[in-house]
Amino acid sequence: MGSRRDTFHTPPAPGCAESPVVGVDACRTGWVAVTLDEEGRFAGADTAEALSELLGRVPDAAVVAVDMPLGLLAEGRREAEALARAKVAPHGSRVFPVPPREVWEADNHDDAKRISQRLTGLKVNSQTWALAAKLREANACRDGGDHRLYEVHPEVSFAALGEGRPVPWSKKSWNGQAVRRRLLEDQGIVLPDDLGPAGRVPPDDVLDAAAAAWSARRIALRAARSLPDPPQTTETGLPVAIWY
């Protein structure tokens, strides 16, 4: 990996995807990835405890889209979450607010709540704080120089797959998983019944990784859009946006 001053990864030219792409989601055991080949078809699924390990296994991937906030601001709220909530309305609770960087640097949840209250007027809840370790891990990978990483939100991606209509059912429900799988299949992303070791991961995490892979391909083709457009940026010039 390069330094933080590396040039941000530039996707291939429009209409050209000469390398595989990868979508990644966090799961209980670490991370799960879905890879699409150069034609946008399912090419494999994998899991790893560490995101850096997973990234090391896909050196040829043009884009790696990850369902995790990338880019933390020193103060204020990121614009991406408000815009994403609008995209998935009336299911805005599927998108959690991302407080400033100092909150995520806290040693424990109690400290994080106090810092968040001081900076934003709101306390960070336990569900959001539970992502702290993986959020730090993902940002360390990108800040450390792997600029193939782009932030996505699967619910925004699924809404885009549904021509702007968010899936009305929870991703953990039978209906919700059936609809999400059909939306992927309509784009040529057919997930096999047997995913090998990755098949031990909860289905909603696999579906989220596949939706992230769909967005990764759009990024590689320069067909993706960002929330906001143009993205906000960190102090080091890296984009802060959700892509779909």
Side-chain angles (χ1 to χ4, degrees), residues 40 44 166 217:
R217 178 165 169 78

Side-chain angles (χ1 to χ4, degrees), residues 177-199:
Q177 291 183 8
V179 169
R180 286 167 174 81
R181 193 167 181 176
R182 178 181 55 76
L183 288 170
L184 291 166
E185 289 175 351
D186 287 347
Q187 296 296 316
I189 303 172
V190 180
L191 299 173
D193 292 338
D194 186 354
L195 291 175

Side-chain angles (χ1 to χ4, degrees), residues 87-102:
K87 285 288 185 185
V88 302
H91 308 288
S93 62
R94 295 174 181 176
V95 182
F96 70 87
V98 180
R101 182 184 304 107
E102 187 179 347

Side-chain angles (χ1 to χ4, degrees), residues 7 12 58-59 82 107 115 118-119 132 143 147 158 171 183 190 221 234:
T7 302
V58 290
D107 292 328
I115 296 168
R118 171 171 57 83
L119 293 178
D143 292 351
H147 296 156
F158 279 120
K171 64 182 181 179
L183 288 170
V190 180
L221 293 170
T234 64

Side-chain angles (χ1 to χ4, degrees), residues 111-131:
D111 287 348
K113 286 190 291 185
R114 284 193 289 271
I115 296 168
S116 183
Q117 179 79 45
R118 171 171 57 83
L119 293 178
T120 70
L122 298 172
K123 294 181 179 180
V124 61
N125 62 35
S126 57
Q127 183 180 8
T128 299
W129 178 247
L131 296 174

Side-chain angles (χ1 to χ4, degrees), residues 7-8 16 34 36 45 50 57-58 87 105 108 167 205 212 236:
T7 302
F8 191 68
C16 175
V34 168
L36 304 182
R57 296 178 190 167
V58 290
K87 285 288 185 185
E105 294 171 345
N108 54 63
V167 179
D205 292 330
T236 57

Side-chain angles (χ1 to χ4, degrees), residues 36-62:
L36 304 182
D37 64 17
E38 294 84 350
E39 302 298 324
R41 298 169 300 200
F42 175 84
D46 198 5
T47 61
E49 291 185 16
L51 181 59
S52 58
E53 178 185 355
L54 207 53
L55 293 171
R57 296 178 190 167
V58 290
D60 297 331

